[in-house]
Amino acid sequence: MKNKGFRVIFCSIVYIFLFLPISVIVVNSFNATTTKPYMSWKGFTLDWYVKLWDNSSLLEAFSNTMIIAIVSTVLATVIGTLGAIGMYRYKFKGKGLIDGLLYIPVVIPEIVLGISLLTIFANVNIPRGMLTLILAHVTFCIPFVIFNVRARLSGYDNSIEEASLDLGANRVRTFFEVTLPILAPGIFGGALLAFTLSIDDVIISYFVYGQTKTYPLKVMESVKSGVSPDVNALSTIILIATILFVVLTQGSLFKKKDRRI
Amino acid sequence: MGKIVEIEGVNKIYGSNKVVRDLNLTVDEGEFLTLLGSSGCGKTTTLRMIAGFEEPTTGTIKVEGEKVEDKEPFERNVNTVFQSYALFPHMTIFNNIAYGLRMKKVPKDEIKERVLKMMELVQLGGFEKRYPSQLSGGQRQRVAIARALINKPKVLLLDEPLGALDLKLRKQMQLELKRLQKKLNITFIYVTHDQEEALTMSDRIAVMHDGVIDQLATPSEIYEHPKTRFVATFIGETNIYDGCITRIKDGVATITLENGEVSVKCPEDFKLLEYATISVRPEKMKFSKEKVDGFGLVAQVKDYVYVGSVLKCIVILPNGNELRIERLAGQELPEIGSKCYPYWNVEDAVLIHNESHYIFEALNSIQLA
Ligand SMILES: Nc1ncnc2c1ncn2[C@@H]1O[C@H](COP(=O)(O)OP(=O)(O)O)[C@@H](O)[C@H]1O
Ligand SMILES: [Mg+2]
C-alpha cells in the first residue's frame, strides 16, 4: 500500500482534533497550578478532586442535573414510547399533521422554545425551579424518543402481536412479552439520547431555572474567570463514568446475537 | 364426524366494500378444507374472523358448537399459521414453540418434553437455541407450524403458508403438511390461491370469488363438475362456450353457439331456451377430419405444442376464439392450417347455468343461428 503513511497521518490528525480538548480537561484536573487562568503545568496533584467535595454549590448543581436528567428521561421515555406505538397503530384524521408537528420542537431554535416555555410558566404561575426544569426537559426530549421508537417500529410486523394473542396471551401479556422486548433497542436508544440532551442543556434551562442551578449553568457561570480545576475534576469523573457505561452496554447489549425482525 | 366450525350468514363490510358476502360454511372434525380463490377475494378476512382478529359485520361463527364472535383471539381454541410466519424475533426457536404452553402455565418439565417432541416431529431437532433470523424460509415455516400445533388446537388456520417458498420446497411441504394433519387428526382450514395445491391437499375445496363461495365440494367434483363459469375457468384449463339450449332430446341438449351447434348431456335442472355455458377440459376435447353427428363447429388447426407425453393442439374458430385440445403424442394429426371438426363425448362436457353478464354473448349466438 503506497499511501499507508498518509492514511495513518490523516487518521491521527482527526483523532488529535477530536480528543485533544478532552485530554486538556483531564490533564488540567491533575494540574497543581493555583493561579488563574489555571493553564501552565505546575506538577501532579489530586487536590482538585479533594476540593471538589468541599465545593458544595458545584456538587448541588450536579445532583440537580442528575435528578432532572433521570426524572425527565423516565417521563419522556414512557410518554414517547406510548406515543410512538399509538401513532403507529391507529389511523385517525389529522395524523399526518400531528406527525409533522413533532419535528417543530426539534428544529426550532432552542432559544425560541426557552422563551415560550418561560412565557407559559409565568402565565400559569408555576414557580420556576426543579419542576419547571423537568417539564421543559421532558418537552424537548419526547420527540427524540418518539423518533427512535418509530424507527424501530417501521420494520415491525403487526402479525407478531396477533400471533401472541393467537397463542393465548392477553393484551397486557402480549405487550410485555412481545411488543416491549422487540422495541427495547429503540426505547433504550431514545432514553439514552434524552438523558444526554437533558444533562448538557443550557439554553432552555437558562430560561426556566429560577433558583435551581444545573451543572452546565453553574459551569457557564464560573468560566468567566477561566475553567476552575475542580470543574475539570468533576468533568473527568463524568467522562470516565460515560466511557464505562458505553463499554458495559456495548458488551452486553449491542454485541448480542443478530436479532433483526 | 361432528361439525367443528359453523359459519352462518356471515358478512364483512369495510366502509362500502363488501369483502365477504353471505358466507355459509360447515367444517367437519378432522377435515382438510381449503379456501381457494384469487387474491383479494376475502380468504384472509374469512380466516381472521374465525381466529378472532376481525369481527363479522353480521352473522354467527361457531367453534365446537359454541358461538365465538364475542370471544377474544386468546380465548378461542383455534390457532393460526400466518403468511408472514410472524415468529418472535427476540426468542429462540425453543421459546417460540414453547410460547403457547407457557401462556397456559404448563409446568416447565412438560413444556420441555413437548417442545422437543414437536421439534422432532417437524424435523427441527437441534435448532432449539437458534433465533428465527438464523433459519431458512422453509425452517421458519416449520417453526410457525410447530408453534401453532403444540397447543393441540381444535382447528388450525393456515393463510397461504407455503406462498413464500420456492416450487420444489413447496411441493415437499405440501406432502409433509398433509402427513401431519392426518397424523395429528386436527382440522385444517387452509387458504391458498394455488389451484394445484388445493386439488392435491384438500378433502374439500371452497372456491371463493368476490367474497362469495361459488362451490364447496371435493377436489374431483370441483374439477369434473364445476358449478359456475368462474370455478370452471379458475381450476384447471378448460374450453368455454356460451350459447342457448335449442333442443332437448333423450337427455341430450343441443346448444346453439355463435359458431354452430353442439351436443351436451343435459342435467334435469336445465330447460329449453335457457342460456347456458359449456365447459370442456382439453383432455376431453377431440377433433376429426370429418363432420361428427351433433356437432357443427368448424375450426382451423393453428399450432401444436409438445408437453411431455401429451400434445396440446390449438385450433381457432371462425370468430377468433381459440380451443385447446390435448392428444396423446404419437397419433396421426391434421396439418397446421387445415380444417378440422372439434367435438366431444356428450357426457364429457359440463353444462353450467349462465350468469347474467354472459347472456349478451348467448343472445348474439341466437341471432346468428
Ligand atoms: N382492514 C381492512 N380495511 C379495509 N379493507 C380491507 C381490510 N382488510 C382487507 N380489506 C379488503 O378486503 C378485500 C379482501 O381482502 P383479503 O381477505 O385479504 O383477500 P385475500 O386474502 O383473498 O387475498 C381486499 O379488497 C382488501 O382490500
Ligand atoms: Mg390473503
Side-chain angles (χ1 to χ4, degrees):
Chain A
M1 295 249 171
K2 271 189 292 194
N3 40 13
K4 190 172 177 200
F6 171 74
R7 275 195 229 165
V8 169
I9 292 168
F10 182 76
C11 199
S12 308
I13 291 174
V14 170
Y15 271 77
I16 288 169
F17 190 76
L18 284 174
F19 286 100
L20 191 64
I22 297 174
S23 56
V24 166
I25 286 180
V26 176
V27 169
N28 257 346
S29 74
F30 298 109
N31 191 351
T33 179
T34 52
T35 48
K36 287 180 181 176
Y38 309 107
M39 287 309 282
S40 52
W41 181 256
K42 291 274 162 53
F44 182 86
T45 179
L46 287 173
D47 277 2
W48 298 115
Y49 288 86
V50 178
K51 281 234 175 71
L52 183 59
W53 290 113
D54 300 330
N55 190 345
S56 61
S57 68
L58 188 64
L59 285 181
E60 193 196 317
F62 182 70
S63 89
N64 283 341
T65 287
M66 292 312 285
I67 292 169
I68 293 163
I70 289 168
V71 174
S72 52
T73 297
V74 170
L75 290 176
T77 303
V78 171
I79 297 170
T81 301
L82 295 178
I85 293 174
M87 283 168 65
Y88 173 76
R89 188 163 307 165
Y90 302 106
K91 291 192 170 58
F92 49 86
K93 258 200 189 140
K95 183 173 170 173
L97 182 71
I98 289 186
D99 263 5
L101 284 177
L102 261 187
Y103 287 93
I104 289 185
V106 177
V107 296
I108 58 167
E110 279 188 60
I111 198 156
V112 176
L113 192 57
I115 293 169
S116 41
L117 283 166
L118 175 62
T119 315
I120 290 179
F121 293 144
N123 273 332
V124 295
N125 258 330
I126 302 178
R128 264 153 286 152
M130 183 70 90
L131 179 65
T132 50
L133 277 166
I134 288 174
L135 288 175
H137 284 215
V138 169
T139 306
F140 69 74
C141 286
I142 284 176
F144 290 95
V145 176
I146 293 186
F147 293 149
N148 252 282
V149 176
R150 207 159 58 177
R152 186 76 188 163
L153 275 168
S154 68
Y156 184 75
D157 177 6
N158 262 335
S159 54
I160 291 177
E161 278 178 2
E162 289 182 344
S164 168
L165 294 174
D166 191 69
L167 293 166
N170 62 28
R171 283 168 216 285
V172 177
R173 198 87 201 261
T174 295
F175 181 78
F176 286 104
E177 293 272 355
V178 176
T179 317
L180 208 52
I182 289 177
L183 296 184
I187 296 170
F188 185 76
L192 211 55
L193 202 55
F195 191 73
T196 318
L197 287 169
S198 169
I199 279 187
D200 68 14
D201 177 72
V202 176
I203 299 175
I204 294 172
S205 300
Y206 183 76
F207 284 91
V208 297
Y209 75 89
Q211 298 303 314
T212 315
K213 279 216 180 94
T214 65
Y215 177 65
L217 288 173
K218 185 79 194 165
V219 171
M220 290 290 286
E221 194 178 70
S222 65
V223 287
K224 283 167 196 151
S225 49
V227 185
S228 91
D230 52 354
V231 168
N232 284 338
L234 185 52
S235 301
T236 304
I237 293 172
I238 294 173
L239 183 71
I240 290 168
T242 311
I243 291 171
L244 272 180
F245 181 75
V246 170
V247 168
L248 286 178
T249 50
Q250 283 271 355
S252 69
L253 196 101
F254 299 113
K255 289 255 171 75
K256 269 218 179 127
K257 289 263 159 58
D258 182 11
R259 289 175 181 185
R260 277 168 299 125
I261 297 173
Chain B
M1 269 195 283
K3 292 169 184 167
I4 192 97
V5 177
E6 293 158 85
I7 301 175
E8 285 159 19
V10 163
N11 285 277
K12 180 70 191 177
I13 302 167
Y14 290 117
S16 61
N17 188 4
K18 285 190 172 185
V19 173
V20 172
R21 283 181 288 163
D22 199 30
L23 188 79
N24 292 290
L25 178 64
T26 308
V27 187
D28 291 328
E29 217 170 327
E31 186 177 23
F32 194 124
L33 182 112
T34 299
L35 293 176
L36 172 66
S38 41
S39 170
C41 72
K43 307 180 296 290
T44 297
T45 305
T46 306
L47 221 53
R48 290 172 61 82
M49 287 192 288
I50 303 172
F53 302 126
E54 306 282 352
E55 234 178 288
T57 310
T58 60
T60 61
I61 297 176
K62 288 185 200 165
V63 177
E64 293 180 279
E66 214 181 313
K67 283 193 183 184
V68 293
E69 299 100 76
D70 297 331
K71 284 194 180 178
E72 294 272 14
F74 48 87
E75 296 166 328
R76 301 189 185 195
N77 204 350
V78 166
N79 285 118
T80 309
V81 175
F82 293 84
Q83 179 163 14
S84 57
Y85 310 149
L87 302 182
F88 305 125
H90 58 298
M91 292 184 197
T92 60
I93 302 309
F94 182 95
N95 285 335
N96 262 280
I97 299 175
Y99 193 82
L101 298 182
R102 203 151 60 78
M103 294 307 123
K104 280 189 204 131
K105 302 207 166 60
V106 174
K108 274 223 167 83
D109 302 341
E110 191 188 333
I111 292 183
K112 185 160 188 206
E113 190 192 318
R114 280 172 66 181
V115 171
L116 292 179
K117 209 169 139 200
M118 181 52 75
M119 291 185 72
E120 280 310 316
L121 188 67
V122 297
Q123 297 162 26
L124 278 173
F127 286 95
E128 296 89 86
K129 294 214 174 73
R130 296 227 198 158
Y131 284 90
S133 61
Q134 299 169 310
L135 298 187
S136 72
Q139 289 164 340
R140 283 183 214 182
Q141 178 58 70
R142 284 166 212 264
V143 177
I145 291 165
R147 185 180 67 176
L149 282 179
I150 199 158
N151 306 292
K152 300 182 178 157
K154 284 285 176 231
V155 182
L156 187 67
L157 309 172
L158 303 100
D159 191 359
E160 312 214 13
L162 310 181
L165 306 182
D166 60 54
L167 187 68
K168 199 173 158 216
L169 197 54
R170 197 154 72 218
K171 297 264 179 221
Q172 183 195 335
M173 284 298 288
Q174 285 174 9
L175 298 177
E176 250 176 73
L177 269 179
K178 185 77 189 166
R179 175 181 66 89
L180 270 177
Q181 190 257 339
K182 281 270 175 297
K183 179 163 177 175
L184 301 172
N185 196 28
I186 291 175
T187 309
F188 273 31
I189 301 182
Y190 189 98
V191 161
T192 182
H193 63 263
D194 181 341
Q195 44 105 5
E196 215 179 305
E197 191 165 293
L199 289 174
T200 43
M201 297 177 83
S202 323
D203 295 325
R204 281 194 305 162
I205 300 175
V207 185
M208 279 186 86
H209 180 212
D210 281 348
V212 175
I213 292 185
D214 264 25
Q215 190 170 4
L216 173 62
T218 61
S220 63
E221 179 74 13
I222 295 257
Y223 186 81
E224 280 160 28
H225 300 285
K227 277 271 178 303
T228 68
R229 185 187 168 109
F230 174 79
V231 175
T233 50
F234 191 70
I235 287 134
E237 237 189 317
T238 197
N239 296 294
I240 289 284
Y241 310 86
D242 294 301
C244 181
I245 302 174
T246 45
R247 184 154 32 100
I248 300 178
K249 197 185 166 208
D250 302 332
V252 175
T254 300
I255 321 278
T256 305
L257 309 175
E258 192 179 342
N259 297 303
E261 284 183 355
V262 294
S263 301
V264 179
K265 190 166 180 214
C266 186
E268 283 184 353
D269 55 336
F270 286 85
K271 300 181 299 287
L272 194 64
L273 293 178
E274 179 179 340
Y275 302 113
T277 300
I278 307 163
S279 159
V280 191
R281 300 284 177 198
E283 67 269 21
K284 303 287 190 193
M285 289 281 304
K286 300 175 177 189
F287 57 163
S288 143
K289 285 181 196 166
E290 283 111 46
K291 201 172 170 310
V292 178
D293 232 18
F295 291 86
L297 297 179
V298 186
Q300 198 181 23
V301 180
K302 192 182 168 202
D303 207 355
Y304 291 116
V305 185
Y306 285 95
V307 194
S309 60
V310 296
L311 182 69
K312 283 197 175 164
C313 318
I314 297 161
V315 306
I316 189 159
L317 292 169
N319 68 349
N321 284 1
E322 283 184 0
L323 302 181
R324 269 144 229 281
I325 304 175
E326 257 176 43
R327 278 274 193 102
L328 288 176
Q331 288 173 314
E332 197 199 328
L333 297 162
E335 280 164 42
I336 288 179
S338 67
K339 221 160 84 170
C340 69
Y341 298 92
Y343 71 102
W344 52 78
N345 294 337
V346 289
E347 64 272 14
D348 282 346
V350 180
L351 207 53
I352 297 166
H353 290 288
N354 208 325
E355 290 146 63
S356 54
H357 40 292
Y358 297 112
I359 281 183
F360 177 75
E361 282 156 55
L363 276 175
N364 236 349
S365 69
I366 294 300
Q367 282 167 5
L368 285 165

